[in-house]
Amino acid sequence: MAGSLPVSPLAPARFPDLPVIAGVEFSAVAAGVRYPGRTDVMLARLAPGSTVAGVFTRSATRSAPVLDCQAKLAVESAGTTGAAILVNSGNSNAFTGSAGEGSVQAICEAVSAAAGVPQERVFTSSTGVIGERLPHDRITAKVGELVSALAADGIEKAARAIMTTDTFPKGAEATVETSAGPVRIAGIAKGSGMIAPDMATMLVYIFTDAAVPQPVLQSMLSSLTDVTFNAITVDSDTSTSDTLLLAATGQSGAAITEADSADGRAFSEALHGVMLDLAKQVVRDGEGASKFVEVQVTGAVNDGDAKKVAMAIANSPLIKTAIAGEDPNWGRVVMAVGKSGAEADRDRLSIRFGDILVAENGWVAGSYNEAAGATYMKQSELVIGVDLGLGSGSFTAWTCDLTHGYISINADYRS
Amino acid sequence: MAGSLPVSPLAPARFPDLPVIAGVEFSAVAAGVRYPGRTDVMLARLAPGSTVAGVFTRSATRSAPVLDCQAKLAVESAGTTGAAILVNSGNSNAFTGSAGEGSVQAICEAVSAAAGVPQERVFTSSTGVIGERLPHDRITAKVGELVSALAADGIEKAARAIMTTDTFPKGAEATVETSAGPVRIAGIAKGSGMIAPDMATMLVYIFTDAAVPQPVLQSMLSSLTDVTFNAITVDSDTSTSDTLLLAATGQSGAAITEADSADGRAFSEALHGVMLDLAKQVVRDGEGASKFVEVQVTGAVNDGDAKKVAMAIANSPLIKTAIAGEDPNWGRVVMAVGKSGAEADRDRLSIRFGDILVAENGWVAGSYNEAAGATYMKQSELVIGVDLGLGSGSFTAWTCDLTHGYISINADYRS
């Protein structure tokens, strides 16, 4: 399956030029976990002094690697030692009983020995099929090779090694000017199905050369996740393996000690940009996607209600199929507002497709022209705007359409 | 669109023989609301002495007919006068501003005058496209014809007139022996898309010749809705028009004055059977459905948690596409349990496909054979069983698969 799909029509033109982050090296290898003839394991090694923050799936059946990362991050670390991140694609090591925990342990031991970092600072992720034993010996056999190949400019190779049904590798970057000089951020992500909100979505690794204490790093990461990875959805299904790790090597010499400072705000804004860019790329590679859709909800009684409406729209199969069919079916938007559970008043609600006012005052807008709506829907990037007219709550979500491609990919992914 | 779809492969062999319910007459007419060349309006007239109970969508953008029915049922009626139910297909009269309320008023006035029932006892429903003005004059022009054609054996015609993307008319019946003699129940339903739980789903009309006080009728209807129409889902989208009406004419002479009596329990059990039969027929006519799926969840800490798990499975696009692909992808069931929000423990969970034990003790079952799983999935009726191993909470839900047919139907239904 993987590799045989055409590249998403919504893909960026090319993988971006990502800056080297001093203190991080990357490598990738073909270990044959599941996919033949391609790289499927990546390693990132972080220099001593790096801090690491993480956000994970809240699934009750989360995978062994997720549970292991959470346990390790629960123990605060000043980052005086180095750290490592190893990720494999092709097998999620989820719902594999105690054998799953054994696999994580074996991989962490091998990485610790070969990369020279303490085992409690080795973080792993696995993505792919659920419920099949991870052949971890194929991975541990390649750990020496991975360590030998580590290179500061290896991040694109790492991005490619973690793909499953992804049709393109995902990267994003930013440079921030702080009072102590420039700080760089580079991140990679994977994901195209089993993508749903309320979780750190799929696998995302972000690196910076800023010096950020772990509690500050964790706090920034958690709050920005709510408006980036927790604001996207492909199919409303939530993975057992979602993992988002952010590592700060400190090697730029620029310290960000407080979130609420000029440098802290500048860094947070740049980090937000990188996270949102990666999150949108995940949507652009949504399984079978042909349209990229931004859902802007305003005028709700509070932000929570705005999110309910945005997600009801973004997850509605009827809206997503209408978009696939280029049908300006705004009645289905009314339906989604109604079912969302948010406070709504038919007569104060307004709906826009891009700049086109479609409905207001409880009915279709007098100025609305169906032909203009139909022309708008032919675009590959769409904005659905809903103003509830009740208050100042707002939320923006991103999603893609639901096409025959999604059915084809998922009706025979595993078999 | 309507009428051009092939009949669902899951359809019953034929429309059932429904008993005549003394005190109810039916008719149907082709009014040309939207669909040419077919009946699209039905009328049911209830004799004096009938009581009526209802359950409706909780959508915040519910339609004008729903709001009107709710207002009328909020005023308790002893049922000394007659009553009438008029339903049109092709246009839902939802999100049509004050014009929508005017249309309901016009139809109720015409029916009241022609059928000889008070206007406050005329209930209407509309199903079809959202946001377009209902051409109610086409309906009022036919009300005289509808009244003239009323007949005690007209229920199948009524069932056909309310179809939209339905591929077969839906009916069910029961006869109950009470201490005062036999009582009959007959019901009809429509629905195949925009079907989601937590509501009375789409349009359902059930009639009985039992004599049941309105509060008793309403109480029975509400509690049985939770385990029938609120336990099905086609696509997780909830209509603005869902309406379930139950009318008791009393003309059998058998009175059911209390739910908690031998006769009350017998009647409730029969009513449950009719409601569940109709609910399952709605799923069997789910847009694009090729498989009928029962999801049985047991061992939850409580019934609420069991319902969360059942609905997470029944609404998961990844599970529904796997079923369409006849793929025994039980890992996706694990995913859905995990995302449901219910309490779950990987190591106490077990999963069955029919009688086949698939997973237990946190992993695939030792006895599980993938070939047997794949063979099972080829059946058109499937049972997915999940036992959480934590308590005695249980819930059963019904759904269908997600196929290319759903995409085709919904990518161009309106245009």
Side-chain angles (χ1 to χ4, degrees), chain B residues 233 295 344:
Chain B
T233 181
V295 182

Side-chain angles (χ1 to χ4, degrees), chain B residues 52-93:
Chain B
V52 179
V55 179
F56 303 89
T57 181
R58 287 198 283 259
S59 169
T61 55
R62 48 196 183 273
S63 69
V66 166
L67 292 167
D68 184 67
C69 283
Q70 288 180 309
K72 287 171 173 168
L73 282 174
V75 180
E76 199 172 322
S77 166
T80 48
T81 67
I85 301 169
L86 181 139
V87 186
N88 76 271
S89 55
N91 182 314
S92 70
N93 193 15

